[in-house]
Amino acid sequence: QEQLVESGGGLVQAGGSLRLSCAASGHSFSSYAMGWFRQSPGKEREFVATIHWSGSSTHYADSVKGRFTISRDNAKNTVYLQMNSLKPEDTAVYYCAANKDSFGLGILDQAWKYNYWGQGTQVTISS
């Protein structure tokens, strides 16, 4: 099974930046599409961003478009989420997820399309 471990969360002030990392320990990271989701108390898990297995395409939620950037380094088995111009509403637990077979699923913007999940990392934005 693929194991995903997020890191880089923390407390920052509004307008600041943070970079999250997700390290994979499985054998097939380079063939997986990857995604970031977030969840705050009392709300459903929300799509943030996804990246093709090759890194050739990305998609973002409207709420983070222009502020967040997803990227990956397959040589390091790692996916990143660079978060800039952070807002208090970005406060959530952020989860990394992997999809092992994306053919026919379209844009991977829904949680059920992913097979593996990390434990999450807390991001708190103060005002």
Side-chain angles (χ1 to χ4, degrees):
Q1 293 184 331
E2 193 76 22
Q3 291 188 336
L4 307 174
V5 180
E6 302 96 333
S7 62
L11 173 64
V12 297
Q13 293 187 10
S17 297
L18 203 61
R19 188 176 76 160
L20 305 183
S21 298
C22 173
S25 59
H27 305 291
S28 303
F29 175 82
S30 62
S31 69
Y32 294 161
M34 301 295 296
W36 286 97
F37 288 75
R38 65 188 184 185
Q39 188 168 26
S40 57
K43 294 187 176 182
E44 294 292 315
R45 190 161 297 188
E46 176 189 21
F47 168 74
V48 176
T50 186
I51 186 167
H52 186 261
W53 65 265
S54 69
S56 62
S57 65
T58 59
H59 299 275
Y60 299 91
D62 289 341
S63 59
V64 306
K65 196 172 299 180
R67 299 188 298 121
F68 291 10
T69 302
I70 187 172
S71 62
R72 68 190 299 160
D73 186 341
N74 286 347
K76 296 182 178 180
N77 280 11
T78 302
V79 63
Y80 305 95
L81 185 68
Q82 178 66 48
M83 305 185 293
N84 299 325
S85 301
L86 285 162
K87 305 174 181 179
E89 51 262 45
D90 294 319
T91 295
V93 176
Y94 282 70
Y95 297 91
C96 175
N99 171 278
K100 63 181 180 180
D101 187 8
S102 63
F103 291 104
L105 293 178
I107 298 173
L108 302 179
D109 60 353
Q110 296 172 276
W112 65 267
K113 295 182 179 180
Y114 291 83
N115 306 102
Y116 306 108
W117 293 85
Q119 84 289 348
T121 185
Q122 177 70 49
V123 172
T124 302
I125 313 303
S126 64
S127 58

